[in-house]
Coordinates of all heavy atoms in Angstrom, one line a residue:
N203 N 1.2 23.8 -12.1 CA 1.9 23.8 -10.8 C 3.2 23.1 -10.8 O 3.7 22.6 -9.8 CB 0.9 23.1 -9.8 CG -0.4 23.9 -9.6 OD1 -0.3 25.1 -9.3 ND2 -1.5 23.3 -9.7
M204 N 3.9 23.1 -11.9 CA 5.2 22.4 -12.1 C 6.2 22.8 -11.1 O 7.1 22.1 -10.6 CB 5.7 22.5 -13.5 CG 7.0 21.8 -13.8 SD 7.3 21.7 -15.5 CE 7.1 23.4 -16.0
D205 N 6.2 24.1 -10.7 CA 7.2 24.6 -9.7 C 7.1 23.9 -8.4 O 8.1 23.6 -7.8 CB 6.9 26.1 -9.5 CG 7.3 27.0 -10.7 OD1 7.7 26.4 -11.7 OD2 7.1 28.2 -10.6
D206 N 5.9 23.5 -8.0 CA 5.7 22.7 -6.7 C 6.4 21.4 -6.8 O 7.1 21.0 -5.9 CB 4.2 22.5 -6.4 CG 3.5 23.8 -6.1 OD1 4.2 24.8 -5.9 OD2 2.3 23.8 -6.0
L207 N 6.3 20.7 -7.9 CA 6.9 19.4 -8.1 C 8.5 19.6 -8.1 O 9.2 18.8 -7.4 CB 6.5 18.8 -9.5 CG 7.2 17.5 -9.9 CD1 6.8 16.4 -8.9 CD2 6.9 17.1 -11.3
L208 N 9.0 20.5 -8.8 CA 10.5 20.7 -8.9 C 11.1 21.1 -7.5 O 12.1 20.6 -7.1 CB 10.8 21.7 -10.0 CG 10.4 21.2 -11.4 CD1 10.6 22.3 -12.4 CD2 11.1 19.9 -11.8
F209 N 10.4 22.0 -6.8 CA 10.9 22.4 -5.5 C 10.9 21.2 -4.5 O 11.8 21.0 -3.8 CB 10.1 23.5 -4.9 CG 10.5 24.0 -3.6 CD1 11.7 24.7 -3.4 CD2 9.8 23.7 -2.4 CE1 12.2 25.1 -2.2 CE2 10.3 24.1 -1.2 CZ 11.4 24.8 -1.1
W210 N 9.8 20.4 -4.6 CA 9.7 19.2 -3.8 C 10.9 18.2 -4.1 O 11.5 17.7 -3.2 CB 8.4 18.5 -3.9 CG 8.4 17.1 -3.4 CD1 8.2 16.8 -2.1 CD2 8.6 15.9 -4.1 NE1 8.3 15.4 -1.9 CE2 8.6 14.8 -3.1 CE3 8.9 15.6 -5.4 CZ2 8.8 13.5 -3.5 CZ3 9.1 14.3 -5.8 CH2 9.1 13.2 -4.8
F211 N 11.1 18.0 -5.4 CA 12.2 17.1 -5.8 C 13.5 17.5 -5.3 O 14.3 16.7 -4.7 CB 12.2 17.1 -7.4 CG 13.4 16.4 -7.9 CD1 13.8 15.1 -7.7 CD2 14.3 17.2 -8.8 CE1 14.9 14.5 -8.2 CE2 15.4 16.6 -9.3 CZ 15.8 15.3 -9.0
V212 N 13.9 18.8 -5.5 CA 15.2 19.3 -5.0 C 15.3 19.2 -3.5 O 16.3 18.8 -2.9 CB 15.4 20.7 -5.5 CG1 16.8 21.2 -5.0 CG2 15.4 20.8 -7.0
S213 N 14.2 19.5 -2.8 CA 14.2 19.4 -1.4 C 14.3 18.0 -0.9 O 15.0 17.7 0.1 CB 12.9 20.1 -0.8 OG 12.8 21.4 -1.2
M214 N 13.6 17.1 -1.6 CA 13.7 15.7 -1.2 C 15.1 15.1 -1.3 O 15.5 14.3 -0.5 CB 12.7 14.9 -2.2 CG 12.6 13.4 -1.9 SD 13.9 12.4 -2.8 CE 13.3 12.6 -4.5
L215 N 15.8 15.5 -2.3 CA 17.2 15.0 -2.5 C 18.0 15.4 -1.2 O 18.8 14.6 -0.7 CB 17.9 15.7 -3.7 CG 17.4 15.2 -5.0 CD1 18.2 16.0 -6.1 CD2 17.6 13.7 -5.3
H216 N 17.8 16.6 -0.7 CA 18.5 17.0 0.5 C 18.0 16.3 1.8 O 18.7 15.8 2.6 CB 18.4 18.5 0.7 CG 19.2 19.0 1.9 ND1 18.6 19.5 3.0 CD2 20.5 19.1 2.1 CE1 19.5 19.8 3.9 NE2 20.7 19.6 3.4
N217 N 16.6 16.2 1.9 CA 16.0 15.7 3.1 C 16.3 14.2 3.2 O 16.5 13.7 4.3 CB 14.5 15.9 3.1 CG 14.2 17.4 3.2 OD1 15.0 18.2 3.7 ND2 13.0 17.8 2.7
V218 N 16.3 13.4 2.1 CA 16.4 12.0 2.2 C 17.9 11.6 2.1 O 18.4 10.7 2.8 CB 15.6 11.3 1.0 CG1 15.9 9.8 1.0 CG2 14.1 11.6 1.2
Y219 N 18.6 12.2 1.2 CA 20.0 11.7 0.9 C 21.1 12.7 1.4 O 22.3 12.5 1.2 CB 20.2 11.5 -0.6 CG 19.3 10.5 -1.2 CD1 18.3 11.0 -2.2 CD2 19.3 9.2 -0.9 CE1 17.5 10.1 -2.8 CE2 18.4 8.3 -1.5 CZ 17.5 8.7 -2.4 OH 16.6 7.8 -3.0
S220 N 20.7 13.8 2.0 CA 21.6 14.9 2.4 C 22.4 15.3 1.1 O 23.6 15.5 1.2 CB 22.6 14.4 3.5 OG 21.8 14.1 4.7
S221 N 21.8 15.4 0.0 CA 22.4 15.7 -1.3 C 22.0 17.0 -1.8 O 20.8 17.3 -1.9 CB 22.0 14.6 -2.3 OG 22.5 14.9 -3.6
R222 N 23.0 17.8 -2.2 CA 22.9 19.0 -2.9 C 23.7 19.0 -4.1 O 24.8 19.5 -4.1 CB 23.2 20.3 -2.0 CG 22.2 20.6 -0.9 CD 22.4 21.9 -0.3 NE 21.3 22.4 0.5 CZ 21.2 23.6 1.0 NH1 22.2 24.5 0.8 NH2 20.2 24.0 1.7
P223 N 23.3 18.4 -5.2 CA 24.2 18.2 -6.3 C 24.6 19.5 -6.9 O 23.9 20.5 -7.0 CB 23.2 17.4 -7.3 CG 22.2 16.8 -6.5 CD 22.0 17.8 -5.3
S224 N 25.9 19.5 -7.4 CA 26.4 20.7 -8.0 C 26.2 20.7 -9.5 O 26.4 21.7 -10.2 CB 27.9 20.8 -7.8 OG 28.6 19.7 -8.2
L225 N 25.7 19.5 -10.0 CA 25.4 19.4 -11.5 C 24.2 18.6 -11.7 O 23.9 17.6 -11.1 CB 26.6 18.7 -12.1 CG 26.5 18.4 -13.6 CD1 26.6 19.7 -14.4 CD2 27.6 17.5 -14.1
F226 N 23.3 19.1 -12.6 CA 22.1 18.5 -13.0 C 22.2 18.3 -14.5 O 22.3 19.2 -15.2 CB 20.8 19.3 -12.7 CG 20.5 19.3 -11.2 CD1 21.2 20.2 -10.3 CD2 19.5 18.6 -10.7 CE1 20.9 20.3 -9.0 CE2 19.2 18.6 -9.3 CZ 19.9 19.5 -8.5
E227 N 22.1 17.0 -14.9 CA 22.1 16.7 -16.4 C 20.6 16.4 -16.8 O 20.0 15.6 -16.1 CB 23.0 15.5 -16.6 CG 24.4 15.7 -16.2 CD 25.3 14.5 -16.5 OE1 25.6 14.2 -17.6 OE2 25.5 13.8 -15.5
I228 N 20.2 17.0 -17.8 CA 18.8 16.8 -18.3 C 18.8 16.3 -19.7 O 19.4 17.0 -20.6 CB 18.0 18.1 -18.1 CG1 18.0 18.6 -16.7 CG2 16.5 17.8 -18.5 CD1 19.0 19.7 -16.5
S229 N 18.1 15.2 -20.0 CA 18.0 14.7 -21.4 C 16.5 14.6 -21.7 O 15.7 14.0 -21.0 CB 18.6 13.3 -21.5 OG 20.0 13.4 -21.4
F230 N 16.1 15.3 -22.8 CA 14.7 15.2 -23.2 C 14.5 14.2 -24.3 O 15.4 14.0 -25.1 CB 14.3 16.6 -23.8 CG 14.2 17.7 -22.8 CD1 15.3 18.5 -22.5 CD2 13.0 17.9 -22.1 CE1 15.1 19.5 -21.6 CE2 12.9 18.9 -21.2 CZ 14.0 19.7 -20.9
L231 N 13.4 13.4 -24.1 CA 13.2 12.2 -25.0 C 11.8 12.2 -25.5 O 10.9 12.7 -24.9 CB 13.5 10.9 -24.2 CG 14.8 10.8 -23.6 CD1 14.7 10.9 -22.0 CD2 15.5 9.5 -24.0
S232 N 11.6 11.6 -26.7 CA 10.3 11.5 -27.3 C 10.3 10.3 -28.2 O 11.3 9.8 -28.6 CB 10.0 12.8 -28.2 OG 8.9 12.6 -29.0
S233 N 9.1 9.8 -28.5 CA 8.9 8.6 -29.4 C 8.7 9.1 -30.8 O 8.6 8.2 -31.7 CB 7.8 7.8 -28.9 OG 6.6 8.5 -29.0
Q234 N 8.7 10.4 -31.1 CA 8.5 10.9 -32.4 C 9.8 10.6 -33.2 O 10.9 11.0 -32.9 CB 8.3 12.4 -32.4 CG 8.1 13.0 -33.8 CD 6.8 12.6 -34.4 OE1 5.9 12.1 -33.7 NE2 6.6 12.9 -35.7
P235 N 9.7 9.8 -34.3 CA 10.9 9.5 -35.1 C 11.6 10.7 -35.6 O 11.0 11.7 -36.1 CB 10.3 8.6 -36.3 CG 9.0 8.1 -35.8 CD 8.5 9.2 -34.9
G236 N 12.9 10.7 -35.6 CA 13.7 11.8 -36.1 C 13.8 13.0 -35.3 O 14.2 14.1 -35.7

Side-chain angles (χ1 to χ4, degrees):
N203 294 309
M204 180 166 52
D205 289 0
D206 291 350
L207 174 68
L208 296 173
F209 181 73
W210 167 82
F211 165 62
V212 178
S213 300
M214 181 271 291
L215 291 178
H216 181 252
N217 294 336
V218 175
Y219 303 114
S220 298
S221 174
R222 285 191 167 190
S224 59
L225 180 68
F226 288 79
E227 300 176 79
I228 305 101
S229 290
F230 290 92
L231 304 111
S232 169
S233 61
Q234 180 73 9

